[in-house]
Amino acid sequence: MPQFIMTYHGGSQPKTPEDGKAHMEKYMQWIGGLDAVVPQQPLKGTEVLGDKEITTMMGYTIINAADMDAARAIAQSCPFLEMDNSAMQLSELAQMTG
């Protein structure tokens, strides 16, 4: 089955600890329903190299999905996208042959 990587970009911090807890509970419920190869992997200490301005990647998830349409439906249901200033990039992982 094809694998897809969803990369999380931006996203504002919750206004209160309670908001953060509620968002995390919603996210964990969402991720628990996926066929995730690599569930939520937050990143820290990210550095942007080069001369292009980009939004820092905050983390990623790798999922199994039948095709890009199925992966897009999964990604669009992610609670991360409910956060202010958030975006997600979705890419199919290429199978490398040796």
Side-chain angles (χ1 to χ4, degrees):
M1 178 172 287
Q3 294 182 338
F4 297 83
I5 185 168
M6 303 180 320
T7 58
Y8 307 106
H9 300 266
S12 57
Q13 293 297 316
K15 293 181 172 94
T16 67
E18 293 79 20
D19 288 347
K21 182 178 177 185
H23 178 78
M24 185 54 69
E25 287 172 0
K26 189 173 186 178
Y27 184 85
M28 295 309 288
Q29 183 178 5
W30 175 80
I31 200 94
L34 299 181
D35 183 4
V37 178
V38 178
Q40 175 191 19
Q41 294 297 310
L43 303 173
K44 67 177 189 175
T46 300
E47 293 186 22
V48 177
L49 307 175
D51 60 359
K52 303 290 183 201
E53 186 172 328
I54 62 169
T55 303
T56 302
M57 185 169 71
M58 305 302 291
Y60 67 95
T61 298
I62 298 175
I63 59 169
N64 289 315
D67 54 29
M68 180 59 89
D69 289 337
R72 186 179 306 107
I74 292 166
Q76 289 174 327
S77 70
C78 180
F80 178 80
L81 292 175
E82 297 172 4
M83 297 171 65
D84 291 337
N85 302 313
S86 65
M88 181 183 294
Q89 186 172 351
L90 176 65
S91 304
E92 185 171 356
L93 296 174
Q95 299 298 318
M96 302 296 287
T97 57

